[in-house]
Amino acid sequence: MVYRIYVEKKKLFATDSAATLTDLTTALGIKSVKGVRIINRYDVEGLSEENFKAAVPTVFSEPPMDEVYYKLPELSENERMFAVEFLPGQFDQRADSAAQCIQMLCKGDRPEVKYAKIYILSGEIGDDEFARIKRYLINAVESRECGFEEKDTLKVSYSIPTEVETLNGFLNKSDEELAEFVTHYGLAMDNDDIKFCQDYFKSEHRDPTITEIRMIDTYWSDHCRHTTFGTIIDKADIKPPYVENTYAQYRADREELGRGSKPICLMDIATLAAKKLKKDGLLKDLDESEEINACSVKITVDVDGKDQEWLLMFKNETH
């Protein structure tokens, strides 16, 4: 049996909802949105009703801070709603943590947990604005819009392909057909990216496989440094004054640091503060190396009887 529960932060603690409302009205510029509610939906399978009830106030919610529902609240006339879930294959930290906690709490097998985030928006929101909001809040690289229907089971069966599909005819697709191709396969790349891929495989004189296109799409997704953080920003039209003032301070600091001739990009914006703090002598314990890493520890390693100074890497990512 699949149990379902909805958890929403009480108004005093609904900071995520407030932050989302600010994003929509300032960053996206949609003033018609007057309120945002965020409800976390959990579906659970593989545990008894008794254990499910025990997990509600301990794993899924914090009674002093959360409201718990067993069905969605009724919408008023000026409210619109949509739900978002992770794409199949994407790791869901919230669902995985809930499953582990339930296993520890009930001392049994680990249940299956699926999670979805529900947005309820209030205001006189037009269809075009609603579509823009969805595009803004749903990261197509990792998530998708989902429905509200009840589930009979959380188990999913997939057919395993016996051979890798070759995308026959890819080289001859028109620009319009390439755009449809991106939509059909749910790719993160844009039309210029897929055109670049087509030109490359033309030089190879062969159609690509679906695996090759998927791999390229993953490595070019919007969280990677070379596609987003390395993109040159040659013009910035900033509306909120507090953001504009911060951006002006950034440009002044980069001139002070002698970086005025270098192109402006998100990576430069993200790292300039540390460079400025270092110049001002405020980062005396900064651990620097030739590697760009997330976490490292200096250790001494015995290599063939000779001590060497090494950096022990705990995590290292391209972005």
Side-chain angles (χ1 to χ4, degrees), residues 189-258:
M189 63 176 73
D190 60 23
N191 293 342
D192 289 335
D193 291 334
I194 196 65
K195 181 64 177 174
F196 183 90
C197 291
Q198 186 188 54
D199 291 340
Y200 170 78
F201 284 105
K202 282 182 178 179
S203 71
E204 290 279 302
H205 306 292
R206 66 178 180 86
D207 286 313
T209 66
I210 185 61
T211 301
E212 288 173 314
I213 291 297
R214 291 291 190 191
M215 286 293 293
I216 294 171
D217 192 56
T218 298
Y219 279 104
W220 288 0
S221 61
D222 67 352
H223 69 284
C224 291
R225 171 177 177 172
H226 51 277
T227 56
T228 297
F229 293 98
T231 301
I232 295 174
I233 301 173
D234 49 23
K235 182 181 179 182
D237 183 14
I238 302 173
K239 294 297 191 295
Y242 63 93
V243 179
E244 185 179 20
N245 293 339
T246 302
Y247 186 69
Q249 182 61 57
Y250 152 74
R251 299 196 65 163
D253 288 342
R254 74 191 305 269
E255 290 292 337
E256 178 187 337
L257 295 172

Side-chain angles (χ1 to χ4, degrees), residues 33 43 46 55 102 122 131 157 181-182 190-191 216-218 222 233 265 269 288 290 307 315:
V33 182
D43 289 316
I102 292 172
S122 60
S157 59
F181 177 89
V182 169
D190 60 23
N191 293 342
I216 294 171
D217 192 56
T218 298
D222 67 352
I233 301 173
C265 63
I269 294 173
E288 294 184 89
E290 294 180 358
D307 288 344
K315 188 175 184 182

